[in-house]
Amino acid sequence: MTDYPINITFVAGKHGSLNVIIDKFVNKSNSFHVDKYDQLEVNFLIFTNYINVHVRRQSLPDIIDPGGDIVAKVTVITKTFECYDCLERFVNNVRKFYPTVSIIIAVDWEFPEVVDEPNVKHFMMAFRDGCFAVRNLALSQVRTKYLDFADDDFLFTANTGLELMIEKLDDKDLELGIVSAPIERLPNLYYLFKLALGAENGICSAGVLRSLAPKRGVIPGYPQ
């Protein structure tokens, strides 16, 4: 897409020939947007016709009915490496606030210790298979609509509201695909990492953006 018009002239002796040309015409964008309109203007003799082109990211089918229970909507997943005490503390901490939520653990320890708890699935990979491979294994086992990814040294608190996060994701007017919570005692993390969704260009980026000044926005309907 461009911000300026592109003029293309077709030579056709009859309107039938013009229809054949238009039928074979393909409008391909060099940049893509989450939801954008483009317009094709067709001039023939004294007639002008406008063809609206709607460029939109294909919606994923909602194949899961999450119901109303938090347990049916979200799975907590974590990747850990040879830190059983930390992992045990993590599981117990999640259980304190969400006793029956599903937890998926993936490890690549040399001598793994299995966590045998209700509603906990523990998967083991080869020694030092790597962070991303192990995380992808955990991700592949999620069967709920949403997932909460946490490191094994994270701790939930009384202010950890998975319900509020899911409420935002379920709000179709907001069209959010990811939400993130602040991490206590790590104030510098806010300046090092930033997730952003541009309404105009549809870019979702994550990474070290130390040079960018932090920006805050208001989500409609969520004053808190």
Side-chain angles (χ1 to χ4, degrees):
M1 289 182 182
T2 62
D3 294 329
Y4 52 87
I6 298 176
N7 297 318
I8 301 175
T9 301
F10 298 113
V11 178
K14 299 179 180 180
H15 69 275
S17 301
L18 180 62
N19 288 336
V20 172
I21 294 174
I22 294 176
D23 185 56
K24 302 297 182 181
F25 181 77
V26 177
N27 182 29
K28 185 177 181 180
S29 301
N30 293 322
S31 60
F32 299 90
H33 300 261
V34 173
D35 196 348
K36 201 76 172 181
Y37 284 91
D38 205 348
Q39 190 176 73
L40 178 65
E41 178 181 318
V42 180
N43 297 297
F44 182 71
L45 299 178
I46 62 172
F47 305 101
T48 300
N49 190 28
Y50 296 96
I51 302 174
N52 292 315
V53 180
H54 191 184
V55 181
R56 181 173 57 180
R57 181 179 57 191
Q58 184 177 3
S59 299
L60 296 176
D62 192 358
I63 60 176
I64 302 174
D65 181 9
D69 188 0
I70 186 74
V71 175
K73 287 187 174 184
V74 65
T75 299
V76 177
I77 70 173
T78 188
K79 186 272 178 192
T80 182
F81 183 76
E82 296 193 343
C83 189
Y84 183 81
D85 292 341
C86 192
L87 179 60
E88 184 179 33
R89 183 184 64 179
F90 172 79
V91 171
N92 292 335
N93 173 257
V94 174
R95 286 283 170 262
K96 178 180 177 181
F97 297 97
Y98 298 97
T100 58
V101 73
S102 295
I103 301 176
I104 294 178
I105 301 167
V107 304
D108 54 348
W109 301 358
E110 185 174 13
F111 305 107
E113 299 183 51
V114 178
V115 177
D116 186 12
E117 298 283 347
N119 300 312
V120 174
K121 295 181 179 179
H122 195 168
F123 297 92
M124 289 164 281
M125 298 185 70
F127 181 49
R128 290 183 176 175
D129 256 359
C131 181
F132 292 107
V134 181
R135 285 177 174 175
N136 286 338
L137 171 62
L139 180 63
S140 71
Q141 301 304 309
V142 174
R143 297 295 180 265
T144 53
K145 185 174 183 179
Y146 301 118
L147 67 93
D148 174 73
F149 177 78
D151 289 332
D152 58 3
D153 59 350
F154 281 13
L155 291 177
F156 286 16
T157 71
N159 294 324
T160 302
L162 295 181
E163 296 86 353
L164 180 59
M165 296 181 187
I166 291 176
E167 181 183 342
K168 295 177 181 179
L169 293 172
D170 277 341
D171 192 331
K172 296 186 182 301
D173 292 333
L174 297 180
E175 296 184 345
L176 294 177
I178 182 172
V179 294
S180 177
I183 303 174
E184 294 182 359
R185 301 179 185 177
L186 284 178
N188 290 335
L189 198 65
Y190 181 79
Y191 297 96
L192 290 174
F193 295 92
K194 182 179 179 181
L195 290 171
L197 176 64
E200 290 299 322
N201 51 29
I203 294 176
C204 182
S205 62
V208 181
L209 303 176
R210 188 187 296 267
S211 61
L212 296 183
K215 295 181 180 179
R216 293 181 179 271
V218 177
I219 300 178
Y222 298 92
Q224 70 277 36

